[in-house]
Amino acid sequence: MATAIYPGSFDPITNGHVSILRSGLVAFDKITVAVLNNEKKKPLFTVEERMQMIRETVVDLDLDADRVEVDCFEGLLVNYAKAKNVRVILRGLRAVADFEYELQMANMNRHLNEEVETVFIMANDAYFYVASGLCKEVTKLGGDVSKLVPRPVAPKLKAKLGL
Ligand code: PNS
């Protein structure tokens, strides 16, 4: 069975992430969406809240829940992959700006464990500019991102920001 880990902060999950997940499900039999548990990044949502939003999104969009696992991890991603016995890391690529960061991470992960491969999927061009950070900033400033994040996320984002 072709399995991949799709890691990220998912603070919160956006439609860009969903587009990668959808494409990933074409390429892989099973995907583990792995939320990074790192308080140092000062996430807006707790790990549990982020995982819950991903689960609700999978249900809301009628994605094949049997093929999507939602989990969290801390520490090195390659160690998590090894513990799960998974050898593929899935990452999304948007604009050129992502490339350097992704190249660095993929090479570092390869250096740490050469048995783990990173595979990239291009984000749907409709979501090329969508990033969790921008969605948070725009919401905070009163802008509407309801078309850029999954349905279960939009009200939670507003509520979390006290709007
Ligand atoms: O959504 P993000 O914030 O771009 O995801 C980044 C993530 C979680 C994939 C990356 O920060 C990560 O893998 N962190 C775990 C620590 C680690 O393994 N670091 C070494 C690889 S660069």
Side-chain angles (χ1 to χ4, degrees):
M1 194 158 82
T3 307
I5 290 172
Y6 179 26
S9 301
F10 301 105
D11 187 39
I13 185 169
T14 67
N15 286 344
H17 293 127
V18 171
S19 102
I20 302 297
L21 182 57
R22 276 188 196 280
S23 302
L25 286 169
V26 175
F28 296 96
D29 300 308
K30 187 185 158 200
I31 293 184
T32 297
V33 183
V35 178
L36 176 68
N37 186 359
N38 182 359
E39 287 306 316
K40 279 203 190 114
K41 276 199 171 186
K42 296 209 184 314
L44 179 64
F45 293 96
T46 66
V47 174
E48 202 36 66
E49 287 169 333
R50 287 181 270 158
M51 289 170 68
Q52 184 58 23
M53 283 186 281
I54 298 169
R55 286 191 206 103
E56 286 176 23
T57 299
V58 167
V59 172
D60 188 58
L61 294 173
D62 211 14
L63 300 180
D64 190 347
D66 289 345
R67 297 201 291 129
V68 181
E69 179 191 26
V70 182
D71 195 11
C72 61
F73 76 104
E74 40 190 25
L76 286 179
L77 176 59
V78 287
N79 290 352
Y80 171 73
K82 192 168 184 186
K84 299 277 286 181
N85 209 14
V86 174
R87 294 183 53 183
V88 179
I89 293 168
L90 171 65
R91 290 286 288 172
L93 273 183
R94 291 167 303 185
V96 192
D98 281 348
F99 187 77
E100 208 163 324
Y101 171 58
E102 294 298 336
L103 184 70
Q104 252 182 347
M105 279 205 297
N107 277 321
M108 179 58 83
N109 285 331
R110 179 175 282 153
H111 168 77
L112 294 170
N113 185 342
E114 61 185 16
E115 289 180 1
V116 175
E117 284 297 334
T118 304
V119 167
F120 295 100
I121 286 181
M122 301 300 293
N124 182 322
D125 57 5
Y127 302 116
F128 241 59
Y129 55 93
V130 180
S132 303
L134 268 186
C135 288
K136 285 183 279 194
E137 185 181 329
V138 168
T139 305
K140 213 182 285 178
L141 297 172
D144 178 24
V145 298
S146 56
K147 291 200 170 61
L148 306 180
V149 296
R151 209 158 30 167
V153 172
K156 294 194 174 77
L157 191 52
K158 279 186 150 184
K160 194 67 159 179
L161 292 167
L163 299 165

